[in-house]
């Protein structure tokens, strides 16, 4: 990946992009298949040709968002080289930037867990856990290296993930904080959580 900090236009298909808008505005249960089909420029049978059910659409949409986040996060970790502190900072920055760039994607993924069938929910949780494990592993490596003084890496990782997820609910482009401002502040919060030593 050339630049893990950059999130351009997503690669969603027209049906998934239509569903994203409908789910973000109306919720999963409030969005009808007809509404999604019309927004995608398809007939209802045409939509069902691509996805067998509304649940399949939700599953594909959330999986695409999580896969993109995991790919970028893995690239951010690899870009840090052998420095645990840099790996931690890169991961936190990547999560913050993802949740600014993909606000609707993140909102749907977090709020519609309640609407997922058990197998879809289990897959989503496994992806979410993989993301949190990357944060936790970076914290543990930082503790081992003497960079952090965190006594509870698992709890800290959970708190940091939640902090970054929450950005999607309030950040707006053109608001008082630039994307770089948000990254800087959240890195400060995250470093404080793990007891990072002053540079």
């Amino acid at each position: 990946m050339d630049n893990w900090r950059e999130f351009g236009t997503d690669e969603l298909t027209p049906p998934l992009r239509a569903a994203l808008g409908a789910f973000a505005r109306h919720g999963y249960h409030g969005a009808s298949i007809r509404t999604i089909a019309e927004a995608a420029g398809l007939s209802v049978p045409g939509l069902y040709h691509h996805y067998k059910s509304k649940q399949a659409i939700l599953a594909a949409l959330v999986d695409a968002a999580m896969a993109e986040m995991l790919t970028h996060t893995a690239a951010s970790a690899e870009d840090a080289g052998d420095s645990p502190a840099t790996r931690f900072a890169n991961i936190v920055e990547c999560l913050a930037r993802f949740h600014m760039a993909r606000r609707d994607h993140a909102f749907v993924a977090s709020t519609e867990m309640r609407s997922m069938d058990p197998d879809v929910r289990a897959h989503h949780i496994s992806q979410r856990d993989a993301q949190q494990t990357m944060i936790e592993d970076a914290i543990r490596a930082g503790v081992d290296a003497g960079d952090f003084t965190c006594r509870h890496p698992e709890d800290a990782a959970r708190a940091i993930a939640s902090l970054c997820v929450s950005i999607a609910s309030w950040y707006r482009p053109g608001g008082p904080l630039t994307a770089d401002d948000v990254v800087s502040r959240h890195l400060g919060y995250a470093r404080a959580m793990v007891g990072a030593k002053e540079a």
Side-chain angles (χ1 to χ4, degrees), residues 42-119:
L42 297 169
S43 65
V44 171
L47 181 61
Y48 280 128
H49 174 75
H50 295 280
Y51 299 97
K52 65 181 181 180
S53 66
K54 189 164 71 166
Q55 184 67 204
I57 295 172
L58 177 63
L61 178 60
V62 172
D63 182 65
M66 296 298 290
E68 182 183 30
M69 182 176 69
L70 288 168
T71 298
H72 277 254
T73 308
S76 77
E78 184 177 349
D79 191 40
D82 296 328
S83 169
T86 302
R87 174 159 46 120
F88 173 78
N90 283 6
I91 289 172
V92 173
E93 178 177 354
C94 185
L95 287 180
R97 292 192 184 280
F98 174 85
H99 285 90
M100 285 186 278
R102 300 286 187 258
R103 297 189 312 280
D104 284 350
H105 306 64
F107 175 76
V108 170
S110 62
T111 60
E112 295 301 345
M113 279 188 65
R114 61 193 174 186
S115 305
M116 296 176 186
D117 287 349
D119 58 333

Side-chain angles (χ1 to χ4, degrees), residues 4-25:
W4 53 264
R5 290 181 172 90
E6 295 295 327
F7 292 89
T9 303
D10 62 43
E11 297 181 359
L12 296 179
T13 63
L16 291 185
R17 182 163 286 105
L20 175 64
F23 293 161
R25 285 192 303 273

